[in-house]
């Protein structure tokens, strides 16, 4: 217990406290920090310009999360329904992208989506003779990159509850006359909410603070909050305002984690109730 507390304090609490402290000071005239107390940085976070970037980041991250959850849950469901001996093989291929560097995976999408990339060549092979479609440096490219990079998290998170699901529950539902769709909607889906919520949180939290994918696949046309924090620290040299933005981002992440914990608690209660009914 003590080593865990030391680890959390040294690597989580202390850095966050230091960043929070920076947010209460002013930017120096030539950059750096002027150690004069102020709350202006937090007020500036709610400026319509920066609030709009927060909302845009949440919209892009939310869209990526929704797509990743739909694809990831379907993949996890298919893997859990496969024969037991094949499931580790399918899981291996699901997490195989993690064996390469994040930057390499993102650059691979540039090769795919640029105007003379693999997709354009494939379209021409099928007889397309028009102008190459403009797919790179669009919001769709950013979302595709986020979904691809974080999809394995959703698959692993959803596979865990699906593989542990008691098959007798689905059989009991079908014996009572429920269709396959009703059994999935009323039995399987509610019991796997903790996995869905965990996977969604992974994708949303990692996406909303991401600055590499928007910079490479968005070409700088789409400013997300991660890019804004990066620019404040390394370009504008305004560390206090960058710290205030970072703390606002952390606050959003904490709210998302609280919502995930609440959903998991409710689903756990339903799981215990269902098991009690099945045993009865």
């Amino acid at each position: 217990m003590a080593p865990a507390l030391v680890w959390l304090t040294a690597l989580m609490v202390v850095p966050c406290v230091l960043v929070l402290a920076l947010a209460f000071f002013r930017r120096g005239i030539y950059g750096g920090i002027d150690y004069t107390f102020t709350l202006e940085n937090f007020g500036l976070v709610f400026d319509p310009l920066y609030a709009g970037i927060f909302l845009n980041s949440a919209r892009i991250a939310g869209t990526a999360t929704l797509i990743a959850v739909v694809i990831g849950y379907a993949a996890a469901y298919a893997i859990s329904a496969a024969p037991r001996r094949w499931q580790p093989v399918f899981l291996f291929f699901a997490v195989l992208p993690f064996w390469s560097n994040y930057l390499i995976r993102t650059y691979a999408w540039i090769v795919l989506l640029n105007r003379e990339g693999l997709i354009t060549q494939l379209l021409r092979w099928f007889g397309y003779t028009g102008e190459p479609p403009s797919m790179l440096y669009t919001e769709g490219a950013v979302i595709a990159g986020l979904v691809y990079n974080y999809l394995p998290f959703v698959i692993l998170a959803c596979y865990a509850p699906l593989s542990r699901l008691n098959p007798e529950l689905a059989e009991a539902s079908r014996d009572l006359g429920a269709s396959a769709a009703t059994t999935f909607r009323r039995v399987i889906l509610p019991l796997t909410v903790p996995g869905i919520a965990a996977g969604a949180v992974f994708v949303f939290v990692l996406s909303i603070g991401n600055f590499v994918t928007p910079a490479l696949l968005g070409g700088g046309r789409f400013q997300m909050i991660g890019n804004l924090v990066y620019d404040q620290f390394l370009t504008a040299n305004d560390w206090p305002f960058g710290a205030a933005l970072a703390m606002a981002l952390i606050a959003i992440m904490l709210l998302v984690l609280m919502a995930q914990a609440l959903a998991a608690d409710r689903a756990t209660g339903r799981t215990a109730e269902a098991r009690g009914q099945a045993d009865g």
Side-chain angles (χ1 to χ4, degrees), residues 37-119:
F37 181 82
T38 181
L39 294 175
E40 289 179 359
N41 295 312
F42 290 102
L44 198 56
V45 170
F46 296 97
D47 182 273
L49 173 64
Y50 301 115
I53 294 176
F54 268 103
L55 291 176
N56 190 51
S57 303
R59 182 179 58 78
I60 292 175
T63 304
T65 301
L66 181 62
I67 296 172
V69 166
V70 171
I71 297 174
Y73 189 89
Y77 189 89
I79 293 173
S80 66
R84 284 283 178 188
R85 67 178 183 279
W86 287 106
Q87 292 182 16
V89 178
F90 294 141
L91 285 174
F92 168 77
F93 283 109
V95 301
L96 192 59
F98 281 167
W99 288 31
S100 61
N101 183 273
Y102 184 94
L103 278 176
I104 294 175
R105 298 200 303 270
T106 306
Y107 273 116
W109 277 92
I110 296 177
V111 176
L112 285 173
L113 299 178
N114 72 66
R115 294 176 74 85
E116 296 300 328
L118 189 61
I119 293 178

Side-chain angles (χ1 to χ4, degrees), residues 220-260:
R221 299 180 183 178
F222 302 94
Q223 183 82 309
M224 291 182 67
I225 188 61
N227 304 98
L228 187 59
V229 173
Y230 176 89
D231 290 341
Q232 295 304 316
F233 275 101
L234 299 181
T235 303
N237 205 17
D238 191 349
W239 287 31
F241 182 48
L245 290 169
M247 293 312 299
L249 185 59
I250 291 174
I252 293 174
M253 293 177 179
L254 288 176
L255 289 175
V256 172
L257 289 173
M258 289 172 62
Q260 183 262 335

Side-chain angles (χ1 to χ4, degrees), residues 105-123 132-146 148 213 216-219:
R105 298 200 303 270
T106 306
Y107 273 116
W109 277 92
I110 296 177
V111 176
L112 285 173
L113 299 178
N114 72 66
R115 294 176 74 85
E116 296 300 328
L118 189 61
I119 293 178
T120 300
Q121 298 297 329
L122 192 62
L123 290 174
S134 180
M135 295 174 286
L136 191 60
Y137 305 142
T138 62
E139 185 175 306
V142 175
I143 292 173
L146 293 173
Y148 173 75
T213 302
L216 295 180
L217 299 183

Side-chain angles (χ1 to χ4, degrees), residues 57 60-62 64-65 146-147 150 201-211 214 224-226:
S57 303
I60 292 175
T65 301
L146 293 173
V147 170
Y150 299 135
V201 167
F202 272 127
V203 179
F204 185 84
V205 169
L206 294 174
S207 295
I208 195 171
N210 192 296
F211 63 93
M224 291 182 67
I225 188 61

